[in-house]
Amino acid sequence: MQTELPAGFAATPSGARAESILRSCVHCGFCNATCPTYQLLGDELDGPRGRIYLIKDMLETAEVTPVVVQHLDRCLTCRACETTCPSGVAYGELLEIGRAYMEPEAERGLVDRWQRRWLKAVVPKPASFRRWVRLGRLFRWLLPRRLASQVPAPGRRSARRSKARKRLARRVVLLEGCVQRVTTPGVNDALRALLGRRDVAVDSVAEEACCGSLALHLGDAEAAEASMRRNLDALAPHLETAGAVISTASGCGVTLKDYGRLLVADPFYAPFARLLSDKLMDVSEYLATLQPNFKRARDVRRVAWHAPCTLQHGQKLNGVVESLLVGAGYELVPVQDPHLCCGSAGTYSLLQPDLAEELKHNKLAALTGGGPEVIATANVGCQTHMSPDAPVPVVHWVELLR
Ligand code: SF4
Ligand code: SF4
């Protein structure tokens, strides 16, 4: 694709990167075939190729039109298009640049502005998010149905305990995540117990901050980088000694693995960011290194596996969780169109509720078609988004291992 970006912008790191990504696209349109929003809406501008053209026009003309805002807002950031693209177009990175460019100029209604501000101010802070979730549960009956279904049910803590730390030889750092530690704390409890039995000590980071993915998705690069720096400050004392840094939420993991790229221009933080990216492992990658001999839960056999987009398209981890579940004795039921997003997509289910609902219902139909006893996934967002409407429990796959 030919580009004519203004010289001033093309000379910036974002401009140079955008130009190189745009030039790698050959307009073939293969990516439209796997794009969930293109499939639902059938509009070229709601597919990756159309969005790439919109971003190109915006960067060339420096005009942020309502059409650009509408169609970039509707993108799930699921990156299924990246998996499909034969030319290796880094669509996710281009979208990140496009949204950061668009956001300061985007004209938004009062409710939209308020929602975005609320999301950035509350969700990354577990204490305040917990207060809002409690309020939501208390007044759920007053909320519109769509909003009420977004309020997570109380998460169970696991009764399983790990061994005393001093007896354990290996150490890992577990990042607990802002949303996960409030809504599904039992996931990290279950992992601690599993690792404790395999002589792995699990350290927490008292000052752990938001990984920055929420602000990044909302096009606020400055807030995202500030979060990343806070997180690195908190992690710094652990980085050298930890064998690995583990994330159980694939939505956080995909951003944490990308710190090295995202902070490359920061002379102070870049080395720490690279070190974190190198040590960061999705929990499935780490458990697969332990010569796993896990057992399945006694009362469950048939599982429908939902690979979050951040795991399959973002981290490109396909087949790892599946092997661990099958190795533990589970039967994975067939699922149609496993590449499609469930509609959670970070803040998408709040900001684009109609599309998110449609995607969720399609996904649940695909997941339950094979008659599973549970649905297993790897990201707190997918879990809490699908749970209220799922006919069987939706769990994090780690909770299925003994
Ligand atoms: S598949 Fe890749 S090269 Fe083809 S239009 Fe989509 S992004 Fe461009
Ligand atoms: S990220 Fe997902 S929703 Fe967005 S253009 Fe790509 S496939 Fe479509």
Side-chain angles (χ1 to χ4, degrees):
M1 182 179 283
Q2 285 198 326
T3 53
E4 288 173 20
L5 302 190
F9 179 64
T12 64
S14 295
R17 185 65 187 131
E19 187 152 57
S20 114
I21 299 172
L22 287 167
R23 288 187 174 180
S24 65
C25 175
V26 297
H27 337 245
C28 63
F30 287 170
C31 48
N32 281 353
T34 54
C35 171
T37 54
Y38 181 74
Q39 283 184 10
L40 287 187
L41 301 164
D43 182 339
E44 172 72 15
L45 297 182
D46 282 313
R49 183 172 59 181
R51 290 184 176 123
I52 289 171
Y53 273 110
L54 286 173
I55 294 171
K56 172 182 171 308
D57 280 352
M58 173 178 72
L59 299 180
E60 284 180 347
T61 61
E63 264 184 63
V64 178
T65 64
V67 174
V68 174
V69 176
Q70 181 189 31
H71 296 286
L72 294 198
D73 278 359
R74 280 189 192 158
C75 175
L76 292 145
T77 328
C78 69
R79 294 168 63 185
C81 47
E82 270 186 33
T83 301
T84 314
C85 175
S87 305
V89 174
Y91 174 85
E93 236 186 285
L94 182 66
L95 181 71
E96 206 177 276
I97 295 168
R99 281 187 173 154
Y101 190 95
M102 169 185 97
E103 208 44 46
E105 306 296 323
E107 283 182 19
R108 299 192 177 280
L110 198 64
V111 175
D112 194 10
R113 280 207 310 269
W114 185 84
Q115 277 183 316
R116 282 161 192 271
R117 218 171 283 162
W118 181 87
L119 285 164
K120 279 189 278 182
V122 173
V123 178
K125 297 185 188 114
S128 54
F129 183 50
R130 192 173 282 117
R131 277 195 293 276
W132 277 88
V133 169
R134 281 191 191 132
L135 267 179
R137 284 180 193 142
L138 211 56
F139 296 105
R140 195 193 295 266
W141 54 282
L142 278 176
L143 299 174
R145 198 193 76 80
R146 286 256 171 93
L147 199 54
S149 74
Q150 301 282 332
V151 180
R156 282 170 295 117
R157 299 304 304 240
S158 167
R160 293 185 274 175
R161 291 279 175 265
S162 57
K163 290 183 193 173
R165 283 173 34 171
K166 58 178 180 293
R167 292 168 45 206
L168 308 180
R170 283 170 291 181
R171 311 194 79 79
V172 296
V173 170
L174 173 61
L175 291 176
E176 304 207 14
C178 325
V179 174
Q180 179 147 294
R181 95 178 72 159
V182 175
T183 57
T184 55
V187 175
N188 289 328
D189 291 347
L191 179 64
R192 282 175 198 285
L194 279 180
L195 292 180
R197 294 206 179 86
R198 279 160 184 79
D199 291 340
V200 180
V202 181
D203 290 333
S204 295
V205 179
E207 303 295 320
E208 179 186 335
C210 171
C211 63
S213 57
L214 188 136
L216 201 63
H217 284 194
L218 294 174
D220 191 340
E222 209 175 300
E225 285 178 20
S227 262
M228 292 174 208
R229 290 188 186 103
R230 272 198 300 278
N231 212 14
L232 285 171
D233 286 341
L235 273 161
H238 305 264
L239 272 182
E240 292 290 349
T241 52
V245 180
I246 296 180
S247 169
T248 49
S250 62
C252 306
V254 72
T255 301
L256 290 157
K257 281 187 175 177
D258 223 7
Y259 270 28
R261 174 183 72 78
L262 291 161
L263 291 177
V264 71
D266 184 320
F268 181 75
Y269 282 94
F272 299 108
R274 267 199 310 278
L275 188 57
L276 175 63
S277 293
D278 290 347
K279 293 212 166 182
L280 203 284
M281 293 176 98
D282 179 74
V283 59
S284 60
E285 293 174 281
Y286 188 74
L287 292 183
T289 65
L290 297 182
Q291 296 174 330
N293 54 348
F294 301 116
K295 300 273 180 295
R296 71 175 172 85
R298 285 182 197 92
D299 49 348
V300 181
R301 176 181 290 276
R302 292 169 61 78
V303 176
W305 164 238
H306 167 59
C309 302
T310 42
L311 194 73
Q312 60 169 323
H313 305 304
Q315 299 189 48
K316 313 277 187 236
L317 287 176
N318 289 296
V320 185
V321 176
E322 292 92 318
S323 304
L324 288 166
L325 288 175
V326 170
Y330 288 103
E331 177 191 338
L332 298 187
V333 303
V335 176
Q336 269 205 327
D337 294 331
H339 62 280
L340 288 178
C341 177
C342 67
S344 167
T347 57
Y348 196 88
S349 55
L350 267 178
L351 299 173
Q352 300 284 338
D354 294 334
L355 287 171
E357 279 290 299
E358 207 172 338
L359 287 165
K360 172 168 64 176
H361 286 292
N362 294 347
K363 178 53 75 179
L364 284 174
L367 286 165
T368 52
E373 292 156 277
V374 295
I375 294 170
T377 187
N379 192 44
V380 58
C382 311
Q383 191 181 344
T384 52
H385 177 59
M386 291 191 290
S387 278
D389 293 308
V392 294
V394 184
V395 299
H396 192 292
W397 68 275
V398 163
E399 295 176 286
L400 291 175
L401 300 182
R402 287 193 298 126

